[in-house]
Amino acid sequence: MTVYLRSLETAVPPTVLIQTEARDVFAAQPGLTRLGTRLVSTCFDSAAIDTRHTAVDELTRDRQAENPRFFDAGTGLLLSPSTKVRNDIFATEATKLFIEAAQKALDACPGLTTLDITHLVTVSCTGFFNPGPDYKIVRALGLDPAVQRYHLGFMGCYAAFPALRAAKSFCEADPDAVVLVVCAELCSLHVRTSNDPDTIMGSALFADGAAAAIVTAREDQDHPALLQLDHFETVLTPVGEESMAWNIGDEGFEMVLGNYVPHIIDDHIIGALEPLLSRDGALRGLPYRDIRHWAIHPGGRSILDKVQSRLELSDEQLVPARETLRNYGNMSSATVLFVLRHILDLPQRDSADDGAERICSMAFGPGLTVETALFTKLSNPRREHPPTLAGEAAQTESAQPESALA
């Protein structure tokens, strides 16, 4: 049975952080050692990020909060709210993003109504509350109260793939199923000043955003699908369990992102891709760059550099990942869906096989876990079997954010 992704939409909070100005604030914090100050400058400047979005609207110099909890614009001091304070903000602000992204995904499927949704899968690793985001979406969008709800929590940056894989399984079990998948992350809730290299790196990379998709096996000749969901695979690298982690502390969640992570990915990316590509005989032995599109989770610039070098991919094939990183930062589970959205927005190329184009995608997270997926970008949604198409990804310029607050 062929399962399709019918819509894919994104949402971000309105407050924009400019990387250079955020760097200057973090570098000016009291308590930083000389080494800590140098690390802040190095991490922020080498991140290949221009702008990020945050749900914490007081993280700007032009807004003086009456009772600041994260940032005192008057003194320039970053504050240290408790985990409870951060999580209370998550419950309010993440709900807005979950609902906005979900509504946009539904609006992008004019052939479906809210009552067509049979399953709802929500994803987040940056906060907890109950009744959770799945409940909030059902109430806000007017979904059938009997919709089957599932929440994938605290998995990290790769969690969009288990969510899509579950959606595919639901549709294969029930041909009439329509699954709404929503990822929303407020990583900026957990940034803080520190001399710890992992904490500094997290402050330089992480941001807020959401993405939502509609997955179904239903055919609709009037409203073509965007992607065909082909295969998913999971691989655990033999090393790296302690190199990437996400823990709960008294002053927010604590990121462990060792500087050896890019080297682990470099050493094991070929083996991680092998189970996925072996699922399609036409891809076995094919040079990686001959797969047209690569939707790589931009966990950081050095990770993208290692993947590109090891797989010998062209600069054009890394444009969607690098532009997502540059304009949005690392939004954990939602990020790879932003990369896929970028690829979907590329002009469709002409071909002898109805214009269908293959996409190889991957994301990385604690464990060290590598999630991989094969998709087919469609121009003919009723095609039963995807071709294997070679070539380079077309390069486009991503739109810049409409405003930049400092």
Side-chain angles (χ1 to χ4, degrees):
M1 177 184 299
T2 304
V3 178
Y4 302 107
L5 189 145
R6 289 278 301 279
S7 69
L8 177 58
E9 299 296 323
T10 62
V12 291
T15 300
V16 180
L17 298 177
I18 296 180
Q19 185 78 344
T20 54
E21 294 169 350
R23 174 204 62 202
D24 293 345
V25 168
F26 275 84
Q29 296 306 302
L32 281 181
T33 64
R34 187 176 300 176
L35 175 60
T37 302
R38 288 203 303 267
L39 283 173
V40 168
S41 295
T42 299
C43 290
F44 276 74
D45 289 344
S46 64
I49 294 171
D50 289 342
T51 54
R52 293 178 283 167
H53 291 254
T54 176
V56 185
D57 59 3
E58 68 182 56
L59 287 178
T60 60
R61 285 194 179 277
D62 65 347
R63 183 185 183 278
Q64 178 64 59
E66 192 171 318
N67 296 297
R69 293 172 291 182
F70 285 82
F71 179 59
D72 187 333
T75 64
L77 291 178
L78 290 164
L79 308 178
S80 299
S82 68
T83 300
K84 182 183 186 306
V85 169
R86 298 174 196 260
N87 197 66
D88 286 347
I89 296 173
F90 176 86
T92 300
E93 299 301 324
T95 295
K96 297 176 185 177
L97 274 185
F98 271 109
I99 292 171
E100 179 184 352
Q103 184 66 66
K104 289 171 73 173
L106 282 169
D107 291 345
C109 287
L112 297 173
T113 70
T114 55
L115 296 181
D116 286 309
I117 303 299
T118 59
H119 299 71
L120 171 61
V121 182
T122 54
V123 178
S124 189
C125 70
T126 48
F128 302 94
F129 62 96
N130 204 359
D134 50 320
Y135 173 91
K136 299 291 187 180
I137 290 171
V138 169
R139 291 302 193 196
L141 271 61
L143 304 186
D144 186 338
V147 66
Q148 296 184 36
R149 296 178 289 142
Y150 304 86
H151 182 71
L152 300 182
F154 222 65
M155 297 185 78
C157 295
Y158 62 81
F161 286 155
L164 290 176
R165 184 170 57 234
K168 184 173 185 285
S169 296
F170 295 148
C171 295
E172 289 170 339
D174 178 3
D176 291 326
V178 179
V179 187
L180 172 59
V181 175
V182 193
C183 302
E185 305 284 8
L186 302 190
C187 305
S188 71
L189 286 176
H190 304 291
V191 302
R192 56 191 174 277
T193 182
S194 173
N195 287 297
D196 175 66
D198 289 350
T199 303
I200 293 172
M201 182 61 72
S203 298
L205 286 176
F206 283 101
D208 304 348
I214 299 289
V215 177
T216 185
R218 294 188 190 181
E219 297 275 1
D220 187 338
Q221 295 183 2
D222 296 325
H223 304 99
L226 304 177
L227 290 176
Q228 182 172 300
L229 307 186
D230 298 326
H231 305 293
F232 295 90
E233 291 289 343
T234 302
V235 171
L236 299 180
T237 61
V239 295
E241 182 176 350
E242 306 300 326
S243 297
M244 188 184 294
W246 190 225
N247 303 312
I248 298 177
D250 293 334
E251 296 177 349
F253 298 173
E254 299 171 351
M255 164 58 66
V256 176
L257 188 61
N259 59 13
Y260 196 62
V261 167
H263 300 284
I264 297 172
I265 292 173
D266 186 31
D267 290 341
H268 298 285
I269 190 66
I270 298 294
L273 281 170
E274 186 176 355
L276 179 75
L277 299 182
S278 67
R279 300 285 296 271
D280 187 328
L283 298 180
R284 291 195 201 100
L286 192 72
Y288 298 109
R289 67 185 300 141
D290 285 352
I291 299 173
R292 180 163 292 167
H293 299 295
W294 286 82
I296 303 166
H297 167 66
R301 180 194 56 78
S302 58
I303 289 176
L304 295 179
D305 289 347
K306 292 292 186 183
V307 171
Q308 180 176 3
S309 175
R310 177 64 67 176
L311 302 182
E312 299 181 342
L313 302 179
S314 69
D315 290 343
E316 289 78 9
Q317 287 170 306
L318 268 290
V319 165
R322 293 196 190 276
E323 287 299 301
T324 297
L325 182 65
R326 184 175 306 281
N327 295 328
Y328 298 101
N330 184 340
M331 300 165 286
S332 193
S333 68
T335 320
V336 74
L337 299 180
F338 276 66
V339 179
L340 279 170
R341 180 67 259 178
H342 190 294
I343 291 173
L344 289 171
D345 289 336
L346 295 173
Q348 194 81 25
R349 288 192 173 189
D350 294 331
S351 79
D353 294 297
D354 300 328
E357 301 172 358
R358 301 309 294 277
I359 303 171
C360 188
S361 187
M362 64 184 75
F364 319 98
L368 200 151
T369 302
V370 182
E371 288 279 349
T372 59
L374 271 177
F375 306 110
T376 304
K377 179 181 176 182
L378 300 174
S379 63
N380 180 352
R382 291 170 295 282
R383 186 180 182 85
E384 290 295 330
H385 302 290
T388 299
L389 299 176
E392 296 179 350
Q395 181 175 1
T396 62
E397 295 183 359
S398 292
Q400 297 296 318
E402 293 181 359
S403 62
L405 307 180

